[in-house]
Amino acid sequence: MKKSARITAALLAACMALLGAAFTFPDVRPGEWYTENIEAMASSGLLNGYEDGSFRPGGTITYAEFISVAARCVGADAPQSGSHWASGYMKRAYESGWYDYDEIYEADFDKPITRQMAVKIVDLAFDIPQNEQANNAYYKYMTSIKDFNDIPGRYGYLVVRAYNNGILTGDENGNFNPLSNLTRAEACAIIMRARGKGAAPFPQAAPTNTEPPKAAAISGGVSQNGKLSVSGVDLVNQNGEPIVLRGMSSHGIQWYGNFTSYNAIKNTADFGANLFRVAMYTGEGGYLSNPDSVKSAAYAAVDSAVSNDMYVILDWHILSDGDPMAHVSEAAEFFAEASKKYAGVPNVIFEICNEPNGNISWSGNVKPYAETIIPIIRQNSDAVILVGSPTWSQDIDKVADDPLSFLNIMYTCHFYAGTHGAWLRDRVDYARSKGAPIFISEWGTSAANGSGGVFLSDAAEWLDFLAQRNISWANWSLCDKGETSAALNPGTSPDGAWSDADLSESGKFVFSRLR
Ligand code: DCB
């Protein structure tokens, strides 16, 4: 592209940036490493937010999105040339030699772009200099990039060029991760840097910059109660005194991750919660489909709860994948990592399988699963572990008849007030009478499908029953979905302070019972 055209494009972008100065998204908080870059990109119309007003900085970015942003940045005109919305930009990119015919097929346009491909695009689109210095740098990066051998030859020199020009650095382990995806926030940073405007540090510097604010101690929080353990059927604090945790569960973070922001969790604590549950779906487009992005969203949510002085449940939310054994190796890998990451962090509770269901049994499926996963967690951590049971975590009677033999574990019982009544409360008492500790890691004021009702008098009966027994609970769910179990009305901002008008019928009831 001609230099004059590039200058014009830059000027245009700068003017648009001025016009759209106050460009903010509820999920892009001021002061994050990515905030400046995202706002610059959005206000110049290069990469927009979603219809619901969010930006989703942690979401992935597709080939078509990334390449059309790069093309727009360099002022490429792109007449529509095919059925895909980005076909004009893609054709232009291909013709400019930004990618080869065998690298991106049309069927891939809407898939998340790989890091190796993103680097190639920015190097070529922005004409990053391949100077003498970069040639000398090759040897340096060949040895310093830990996974350099995983980078296919056609990208190696491009990665070196990008590193050498400060467009990116490796992850905290020194890896480039050629086949991993890019978050939208990272894409903004890389592109802004490549176009010579990015002032913010690259995402991998994030750990020092994203340290969430330390919140004041909360009532019933971790600074008061410290490390938890299980004594008899009771959950107890560091002094061996019974403690009750009450709070909210997120909805699926792959859908409603914006309600696990620092502010959303803080709002929940302000309403009196000392517990937050991070529901990391495995199926339904969750962890099993996008392990890297879903996992980092889950960790970010855990970290936000920790900095709000709350206890936090990291939930392997099986649901459509009813048999926990179906993905036991993925679970093993995940809990090995998570228990290491949070070893010694007293806030964190591991829930190893949300709701087993389908044609499975406690002794044949869930118990062997627990016997596989719990020892893996125990290599790093003696945190409290929650274990589900068949029939959406209602078969606690079967569990009590055939318990696990580990310390500091509790069994989950899930109820929905419109569906599950006295018979399930009887099971809770039966299980406890046999010595099985019970934790209600999920319950709703609705019927079992998350909607219907709300059934507030049934819910009140349940909460009174639990209060009499010091049983802890997390309510489903903290989100604004149009279903009765959601605590917030549709359209509620995750980050603003919630007024009464923002709370759904369920939310008003549940929040009033948190303290
Ligand atoms: C549980 C799940 C949870 C589910 C709620 C309400 O499922 F752990 O993921 O949440 O209870 O059903 C719902 C959301 C919906 C979403 C749907 C699918 O509220 O917005 O569309 O998940 O992801 C239960 C609990 C109990 C029973 C059945 C289910 N039961 N279930 O007793 O029959 O089928 O999901």
Side-chain angles (χ1 to χ4, degrees), residues 248 475 477-479 485-489 502-504 506-508 511:
M248 296 302 298
N475 173 258
S477 70
L478 189 75
C479 75
S485 57
L488 301 164
N489 286 324
D502 295 321
L503 306 187
S504 68
S506 183
K508 285 191 191 105
F511 285 10

Side-chain angles (χ1 to χ4, degrees), residues 55-378:
F55 185 83
R56 303 183 203 159
T60 55
I61 185 161
T62 64
Y63 285 97
E65 289 166 340
F66 189 90
I67 288 172
S68 54
V69 172
R72 272 183 240 134
C73 280
V74 299
D77 53 341
Q80 188 67 23
S81 76
S83 54
H84 192 279
W85 64 267
S87 53
Y89 288 125
M90 298 303 279
K91 181 162 180 275
R92 167 62 206 265
Y94 175 69
E95 285 169 355
S96 310
W98 298 357
Y99 70 90
D100 295 326
Y101 77 94
D102 63 334
E103 287 178 300
I104 309 170
Y105 297 104
E106 185 155 3
D108 298 323
F109 283 10
D110 294 323
K111 293 187 181 151
I113 193 170
T114 59
R115 301 174 79 88
Q116 65 190 24
M117 202 59 227
V119 161
K120 176 165 178 175
I121 298 294
V122 293
D123 274 358
L124 299 185
F126 296 99
D127 219 351
I128 301 300
Q130 168 69 330
N131 47 27
E132 174 65 16
Q133 210 194 350
N135 290 331
N136 293 334
Y138 196 88
Y139 180 77
K140 173 177 148 203
Y141 286 107
M142 198 176 87
T143 46
S144 70
I145 299 176
K146 290 279 178 306
D147 57 353
F148 198 83
N149 288 338
D150 297 340
I151 305 173
R154 72 206 288 188
Y155 303 109
Y157 76 98
L158 292 161
V159 172
V160 167
R161 210 197 281 190
Y163 272 62
N164 192 47
N165 282 279
I167 293 169
L168 52 96
T169 58
D171 69 13
E172 65 275 28
N173 302 318
N175 290 318
F176 170 65
N177 306 310
L179 294 178
S180 294
N181 304 131
L182 222 53
T183 65
R184 289 163 58 81
E186 288 173 322
C188 286
I190 289 174
I191 288 175
M192 289 301 288
R193 296 201 129 202
R195 63 201 294 233
K197 288 191 162 207
F202 184 72
Q204 267 74 22
T208 47
N209 294 318
T210 53
E211 186 75 21
K214 280 269 171 280
I218 59 167
S219 162
V222 178
S223 54
Q224 258 173 33
N225 290 287
K227 193 166 170 229
L228 303 175
S229 58
V230 180
S231 165
V233 294
D234 292 322
L235 182 65
V236 300
N237 69 12
Q238 63 194 357
N239 304 323
E241 300 151 352
I243 175 175
V244 184
L245 307 183
R246 295 193 184 98
M248 296 302 298
S249 173
S250 74
H251 198 285
I253 58 173
Q254 80 278 32
W255 298 310
Y256 291 94
N258 49 341
F259 288 92
T260 61
S261 66
Y262 174 84
N263 282 334
I265 293 176
K266 180 172 193 323
N267 286 345
T268 311
D270 288 344
F271 276 99
N274 58 354
L275 174 67
F276 193 81
R277 176 183 190 238
V278 179
M280 189 182 76
Y281 272 70
T282 44
E284 286 94 344
Y287 180 87
L288 298 171
S289 318
N290 293 299
D292 291 339
S293 60
V294 171
K295 185 173 66 181
S296 33
Y299 288 161
V302 169
D303 294 344
S304 292
V306 169
S307 53
N308 277 300
D309 197 32
M310 297 167 101
Y311 290 97
V312 56
I313 299 173
L314 184 50
D315 160 35
W316 182 256
H317 198 86
I318 66 165
L319 188 61
S320 61
D321 44 338
D323 180 356
M325 274 302 194
H327 298 289
V328 64
S329 55
E330 290 91 340
E333 193 188 343
F334 173 75
F335 282 109
E337 180 183 299
S339 60
K340 194 164 180 193
K341 180 174 170 68
Y342 293 111
V345 179
N347 312 62
V348 179
I349 297 170
F350 299 104
E351 181 169 1
I352 62 175
C353 50
N354 165 51
E355 292 185 354
N357 63 82
N359 187 21
I360 55 161
S361 67
W362 167 250
S363 59
N365 307 73
V366 186
K367 192 180 185 201
Y369 169 80
E371 285 170 337
T372 309
I373 300 300
I374 293 172
I376 291 173
I377 296 176
R378 285 291 178 254

Side-chain angles (χ1 to χ4, degrees), residues 375-400:
I376 291 173
I377 296 176
R378 285 291 178 254
Q379 285 181 8
N380 302 312
S381 162
D382 56 359
V384 171
I385 296 174
L386 306 181
V387 185
S389 59
T391 323
W392 299 283
S393 292
Q394 291 152 29
D395 288 357
I396 49 173
D397 50 338
K398 307 227 170 56
V399 171

